[in-house]
């Protein structure tokens, strides 16, 4: 049983959550408002779409590579210094530099360069925040802490949009984010100086028993974050090989994020052409708010509940199946009330999934000595669906079946995600 001294405290959890909020605000404030406004100002009506697509596309490509690379660097820092925090310092500095470049950007190349720096930089602290779940959080707390990790993402998206909107979508938004982001990330730097949980209790395995500890050995006592250089054991190349459970957990995350991307990619046009919403933009906002708020509330409650029940897979499977039901409801919707009802169902389903997503991923790691690298690879499962979703959507929405076929396909993918929970025998 985990002693209370081994459990992470509420201030540490708050610091972790604030770090997630900071990173996602710095990503989605620009993505949702600041970059489109800037692209319109620089490219004009004729070049808006092309410039925005170039900026977002190049940034996404950089993010796919940056996260696992930063994770690998953080693993090496931890092995040599006993801490991952140098990645937070360097990554935050690069990200803030990118925000300042965007603040003054008045050309396409400058905008691309600034956004590349933002994506490159802030993927560093995000990789560390994910790895700290494996380093610091005992299995008995991973439901509630992992759910707050997901809630932090939702709050970050909303906060970034609020910041961007509060300055009228102008470049000043980048300056506000450049101040707020390092201020919020400093909380995890301060909290990270506390001693790490004992590896005998904070296992990386998901069975809650005698699994690999923080130092990668079964039930062994290992050094904490303040360990001396070289006191952590060497990480073998074989430790980077993903476990069977990790592969299924990665696929589960990929498929669920793919359903989410399918929901959003053509939602505006679905509401415009099929539902006939008088103001599609406002309707998209309503659907987004309902989905995000219910997701956050459901995730916060389900994460704590999953810890009490010592169960993860059942929540993920239920979330996937409920998401499938919501997408089927959306496919059948022809009025806004029906769309909003489907959005509520989707919010519950997504909330159940993100409540246990981080707990499942961290529970599938063989050792936290490679947590930064493997969790960085796991984050590709979040970014890659943004690229895959349009490739699925285009042939469906242009066919005779139209937009409903897209959401039916999304429902099928959600069911496949639910089936991915069955082989997760090493994760409860």
């Amino acid at each position: 049983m985990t002693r209370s001294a081994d459990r992470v405290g509420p201030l540490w959890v708050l610091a972790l959550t604030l770090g997630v909020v900071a990173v996602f605000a710095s990503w989605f404030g620009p993505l949702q408002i600041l970059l489109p406004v800037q692209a319109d100002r620089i490219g004009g009506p004729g070049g808006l779409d092309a410039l925005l697509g170039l900026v977002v596309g190049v940034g996404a490509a950089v993010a796919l590579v940056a996260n696992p690379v930063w994770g690998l660097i953080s693993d090496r820092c931890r092995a040599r210094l006993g801490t991952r925090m140098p990645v937070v310092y360097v990554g935050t500095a690069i990200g803030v530099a990118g925000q300042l470049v965007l603040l003054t950007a008045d050309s396409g190349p400058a905008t691309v360069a600034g956004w590349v720096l933002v994506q490159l930089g802030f993927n560093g602290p995000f990789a560390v925040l994910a790895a700290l779940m494996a380093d610091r959080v005992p299995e008995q707390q991973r439901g509630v802490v992992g759910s707050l990790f997901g809630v932090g993402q939702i709050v970050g998206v909303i906060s970034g949009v609020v910041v961007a909107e509060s300055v009228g979508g102008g470049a000043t938004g980048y300056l506000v984010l450049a101040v707020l982001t390092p201020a919020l990330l400093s909380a995890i730097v301060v909290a990270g100086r506390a001693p790490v949980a004992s590896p005998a209790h904070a296992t990386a395995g998901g069975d809650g028993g005698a699994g690999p500890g923080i130092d990668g050995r079964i039930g062994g006592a290992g050094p904490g974050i303040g360990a001396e250089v070289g006191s952590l054991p060497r990480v073998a190349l074989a430790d980077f090989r993903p476990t069977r459970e990790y592969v299924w957990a990665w696929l589960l995350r990929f498929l669920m994020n793919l359903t989410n991307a399918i929901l959003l990619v053509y939602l505006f046009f679905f509401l415009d052409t099929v539902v006939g919403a008088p103001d599609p933009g406002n309707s998209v906002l309503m659907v987004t708010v309902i989905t995000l708020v219910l997701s956050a509330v459901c995730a916060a409650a389900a994460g704590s509940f999953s810890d009490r029940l010592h169960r993860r897979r059942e929540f993920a499977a239920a979330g996937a199946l409920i998401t499938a039901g919501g997408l089927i409801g959306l496919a059948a919707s022809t009025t806004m009330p029906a769309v909003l009802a489907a959005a509520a169902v989707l919010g519950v389903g997504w909330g159940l999934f993100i409540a246990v997503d981080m707990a499942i991923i961290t529970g599938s790691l063989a050792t936290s000595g490679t947590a930064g690298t493997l969790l960085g690879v796991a984050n590709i499962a979040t970014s890659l669906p943004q690229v895959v979703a349009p490739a699925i959507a285009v042939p469906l929405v242009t066919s005779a079946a139209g937009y409903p076929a897209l959401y039916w396909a999304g429902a099928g993918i959600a069911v496949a995600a639910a089936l991915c929970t069955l082989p997760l025998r090493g994760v409860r």
Side-chain angles (χ1 to χ4, degrees):
M1 176 157 318
T2 302
R3 299 190 303 267
S4 59
D6 295 326
R7 300 168 69 85
V8 292
L11 291 180
W12 189 91
V13 176
L14 176 61
L16 182 78
T17 306
L18 288 176
V20 176
V21 170
V23 171
F24 273 71
S26 288
W27 281 336
F28 284 90
L31 278 172
Q32 297 290 95
I33 295 179
L34 298 179
L35 285 175
V37 170
Q38 196 163 17
D40 184 43
R41 175 173 57 83
I42 295 172
L48 164 64
D49 293 334
L51 177 56
L52 184 60
L54 176 64
V55 172
V56 174
V58 173
V62 170
L64 285 176
V65 178
N67 202 279
V69 170
W70 279 121
L72 176 61
I73 294 172
S74 80
D75 284 338
R76 298 302 299 164
C77 287
R78 183 178 179 275
R80 292 179 177 275
L81 306 176
T83 177
R84 302 182 188 273
M85 291 305 153
V87 170
V88 177
Y89 306 145
V90 175
T92 301
I94 294 173
V96 169
Q99 290 170 330
L100 296 179
V101 170
L102 289 168
L103 174 65
T104 59
D106 57 2
S107 67
T111 305
V112 172
W115 187 239
V116 164
L117 288 174
V118 168
Q119 287 283 19
L120 174 63
F122 290 128
N123 266 285
F126 185 59
V128 170
L129 293 169
L132 288 175
M133 281 281 297
D135 288 351
R136 296 291 303 270
V137 182
E139 195 276 336
Q140 292 88 338
Q141 279 186 288
R142 287 186 183 169
V144 66
V145 177
S147 67
L148 291 175
F149 196 98
V151 169
Q153 297 178 30
I154 294 173
V155 173
V157 172
I158 296 173
S159 300
V161 172
V162 168
V163 167
E165 186 65 28
S166 66
V167 297
T172 308
Y174 292 121
L175 182 60
V176 176
L177 291 173
V179 173
L180 290 179
T181 305
L184 293 177
L185 282 169
S186 66
I188 196 62
V189 174
V190 174
R193 294 173 180 171
V196 74
S198 168
H201 299 281
T203 63
D207 58 2
I214 281 179
D215 64 349
R217 295 171 297 189
I218 303 299
I225 265 184
E228 296 180 359
V229 176
S231 61
L232 290 174
R234 295 179 181 273
V235 177
L237 184 61
D239 292 330
F240 290 93
R241 185 175 57 209
T243 64
R244 175 179 174 274
E245 284 77 15
Y246 174 89
V247 173
W248 284 108
W250 190 98
L251 186 58
L252 167 64
R253 174 180 282 192
F254 171 78
L255 292 176
M256 284 301 292
N257 278 279
L258 183 56
T259 64
N260 192 47
I262 283 175
L263 165 66
L264 297 175
V265 66
Y266 282 106
L267 181 60
F268 180 95
F269 300 108
F270 170 74
L271 295 175
D272 185 27
T273 61
V274 176
V275 179
D279 185 352
N282 185 61
S283 298
V284 169
L285 179 61
M286 291 173 61
V287 170
T288 303
V289 169
I290 289 174
T291 304
L292 290 181
V293 170
L294 282 175
S295 294
V297 172
C298 188
S304 177
F305 202 42
S306 75
D307 282 338
R308 295 180 184 179
L309 294 178
H310 305 292
R311 290 289 183 270
R312 314 289 188 209
R313 293 189 304 166
E314 289 84 349
F315 285 86
L321 293 175
I322 291 173
T323 297
L327 286 167
I328 291 173
L330 194 62
S333 298
T334 55
T335 64
M336 274 308 299
V339 169
L340 296 180
V345 175
L346 288 165
V348 173
W350 186 249
L352 288 175
F353 167 69
I354 65 173
V356 295
D357 173 47
M358 282 298 296
I360 289 175
I361 284 286
T362 55
S364 68
L365 302 177
T367 168
S368 75
T370 57
T373 306
L374 291 177
L375 289 174
V377 173
N379 286 331
I380 293 176
T382 302
S383 305
L384 187 59
Q386 308 303 319
V387 179
V388 175
I392 295 175
V394 169
L396 290 175
V397 300
T398 56
S399 69
Y403 293 100
L406 175 63
Y407 296 126
W408 273 102
I413 293 171
V415 172
L419 295 177
C420 288
T421 64
L422 297 178
L424 291 172
R425 303 186 187 278
V427 179
R428 294 180 301 178

